[in-house]
Structure formats: structure tokens, C-alpha cells
Amino acid sequence: MKKIVPIDLQSIKTYSLTTRDNKVNVRDHFARSPQAGSSFASFYASLPRLLGADSLRGVVDAVVAARRAGRPVVLAIGGHVIKCGLQPVLKALVEADVITAVAMNGSAAIHDFEVSLIGATSEDVGAVLHAGDFGFAEETGGGMNRALKAALSTGVGFGEAIGRCIVDNHHQYREFSLLAACVEKQIPVTVHVAIGTDIIHQHPEFDGAVTGEMSARDFRLLAAVVADLSGGVWLNVGSAVIMPEVFLKALSIAQNLGYHVADFTTANFDMTQHYRPLQNVVKRPTSGSGKGYAITGHHEINIPLLAAAILEKISQESR
């Protein structure tokens, strides 16, 4: 067998570092030194111009450009976004006419309802599960199911029914409700339910036919929103399964009916990037045209940062 001789490095050819192309340089990409007492605009401008910071800038620019052109910005969220206490941030974007429609899963609606009612949410599941108490709060299960039944004959969907219930019944903390903010602003707000996933499905007042019909109405409403998404933005925040799947199906309906939705921007904000948001939000919908972004991090940090950057850019452009 032939003996393997270690390779001789003496004949290696090198080149000058100054002649090499580099992906990062101090002039174009480095962060600026932080300054105590500086404005948010200064902080935002000081972020590095690469990777996640540039993705954030891309989303901010797309949102502002879409609203400048009168195109929609749709927010899709999971329950953890509400549990992080972000309603005031999201409500500010709704009231500033930045967000033009909101879609959420069932848990987000439940947490929003509870916050509006008592100013608190998110029970300690582990502490009560084995006692058989998890999810059986009367005000939540009874209140939401009765609100859905009462609104069935009015023709509205799940989201508007619960939002209107919060407003009409003057919940003490309704100012912290995203559902109420959307109803008061008269923008589409939809709730997309998987039967058996939410605590209100455990309640004696639960009626699967009512819940299914109300969520089905919201799905058709969201499909109409998505049909007009060309030139707009879809933001998926904190939903790894339900909202990415709902978005993909709504988009498929719109394309099937000949709306030819194209040239829009999508972004997925989450603490971990999962398969469905990456495929069904970031990649597949924008594969023909448009742009998709994936931004990883805690909602309680990234979403206030996103909102502040959007509002700052709008303010600067209006001066």
C-alpha cells in the first residue's frame, strides 16, 4: 500500500489582504458607538448594516412604502404576542393607520378578551392541570361562547363578534384590547380556530357549529384581504402553525379566483424559525416576486423596535 506523505505547504501561493473582496467593512457595515441620551432615530441609525438589522430595515421600509402607496399591511399573530403585553404597541400601529387588518389564532383572542375584562391573563397551567381546573374560568368560556352565539345572526365573524362584545360591554381594561381597537377603527379583525385547541372549547356553552361558522366567516373575510395584498406587507408574528397555514390557503384562493396577488413583502418574527412560517410565509408566497424576511428574537424586544422604527420613518417623511 502506498505510503501517505504529509503535504508540503512551502509551495502555497498567497495574496495581499488588501486585494480581497470582503463582505463586511468598517465604512459601510459597522455599528456606531452608542451615546447616552441619544434619540431613537440615532439609535436605529447606529445599528449595523448587515444581517438581522438590515432585515429589520427592509421590513420597516416595505411597511412605510406600502402605506405611502395606499397598500395594505396585515398583521397575523399567535397568543404569545398578546401574553407579552404588546397590545399598546400594536394598537398604536392600528391607530396610526399602519396596520390595516389583523388576523389571529384562537388563543390570541382568548388572552385579549381576558386582558380586556380583568387586566390580566395567562394562568399557571402546571399548577392547576392535575386538579382539573385548567381552562375553566367562567367569564372567559361562558362570555366568549355567548358572544359568538349572540352575533351569529348578525352576519359578522369571530373577531368582530368578540371585539364588539368587549366594546359594547365596556370591559374595564378595553383600552388594552387589540380586538376592540380594530373594531373601533373599523378594520378587519379575524380569528382562526382549530377546534379543541382553545380553553373555551371545554366550556358547557361551547357550540362547535357556531364556532366553526364564525371562524369560517373570518376565513372568507381574510381571503378577501389577501386578494388585495399586491404591493402590501404580511407580518406573521409568533404563530408557527395556524396563521402560516391560513395565509397560504387564503393566498391560494385569491390566486385561483384570478386576483394574481404579487409583488408583496412578507416577514416572520419569532423566537425560533420554524418550517411552516419559513415556507408558507417567507419563501413560497414571494417566490415569483416580492421579498420575504425572517427575523429571530423575542417579541417583547423586536416588535416595539419594529413599531418605533416604522413610526419614526413615517414622521421623518412627513416633515
Side-chain angles (χ1 to χ4, degrees), residues 225-246:
V225 170
V226 172
D228 189 42
L229 191 60
S230 291
V233 178
W234 178 276
L235 302 172
N236 186 75
V237 184
S239 178
V241 179
I242 296 293
M243 295 316 304
E245 291 292 354
V246 168

Side-chain angles (χ1 to χ4, degrees), residues 3-286:
K3 183 179 179 181
I4 303 298
V5 179
I7 200 164
D8 183 1
L9 301 181
Q10 295 305 309
S11 298
I12 289 288
K13 296 181 287 295
T14 64
Y15 61 86
S16 171
L17 177 62
T18 61
T19 66
R20 189 183 70 188
D21 290 332
N22 297 290
K23 294 180 180 179
V24 179
N25 65 70
V26 297
R27 182 185 65 255
D28 299 321
H29 304 106
F30 272 36
R32 297 182 200 163
S33 299
Q35 302 295 321
S38 63
S39 66
F40 174 80
S42 296
F43 163 75
Y44 183 60
S46 75
L47 296 176
R49 295 206 166 261
L50 72 170
L51 302 176
D54 252 7
S55 291
L56 179 65
R57 288 189 183 91
V59 177
V60 170
D61 291 348
V63 168
V64 175
R67 295 307 298 133
R68 191 191 313 121
R71 305 310 302 139
V73 174
V74 186
L75 173 70
I77 62 173
H80 192 65
V81 178
I82 299 299
K83 291 190 341 182
C84 284
L86 292 171
Q87 291 95 315
V89 175
L90 301 176
K91 184 179 177 182
L93 293 178
V94 168
E95 293 177 343
D97 291 321
V98 173
I99 293 174
T100 60
V102 174
M104 64 183 72
N105 64 12
S107 69
I110 289 167
H111 291 302
D112 189 84
F113 181 86
E114 289 186 340
V115 167
S116 76
L117 195 60
I118 65 167
T121 190
S122 192
E123 64 185 306
D124 187 341
V125 179
V128 298
L129 178 63
H130 298 293
D133 290 333
F134 167 57
F136 290 108
E138 170 58 31
E139 294 88 344
T140 307
M144 292 185 72
N145 279 303
R146 284 190 289 271
L148 294 176
K149 291 176 182 177
L152 183 65
S153 63
T154 68
V156 305
F158 195 122
E160 185 171 346
I162 301 302
R164 181 58 59 191
C165 171
I166 293 169
V167 173
D168 291 348
N169 288 285
H170 306 288
H171 284 193
Q172 183 177 355
Y173 298 93
R174 62 188 177 277
E175 66 184 282
F176 295 101
S177 167
L178 183 58
L179 286 163
C182 292
V183 166
E184 290 176 328
K185 190 68 175 177
Q186 297 184 332
I187 67 171
V189 57
T190 60
V191 179
H192 306 272
V193 171
I195 299 294
T197 62
D198 299 325
I199 60 170
I200 64 172
H201 305 161
Q202 306 169 188
H203 196 275
E205 288 276 6
F206 169 66
D207 186 322
V210 172
T211 298
E213 171 60 25
M214 299 298 272
S215 193
R217 291 176 185 176
D218 275 1
F219 177 60
R220 294 192 294 271
L221 177 59
L222 185 66
V225 170
V226 172
D228 189 42
L229 191 60
S230 291
V233 178
W234 178 276
L235 302 172
N236 186 75
V237 184
S239 178
V241 179
I242 296 293
M243 295 316 304
E245 291 292 354
V246 168
F247 174 54
L248 195 70
K249 277 65 174 187
L251 180 60
S252 183
I253 289 172
Q255 303 289 39
N256 182 273
L257 293 175
Y259 287 94
H260 304 300
V261 186
D263 299 314
F264 56 88
T265 299
T266 64
N268 183 58
F269 288 80
D270 213 341
M271 293 179 287
T272 302
Q273 294 297 329
H274 298 276
Y275 172 81
R276 282 179 176 81
L278 285 174
Q279 293 298 323
N280 295 357
V281 175
V282 177
K283 294 182 179 180
R284 288 170 176 159
T286 61

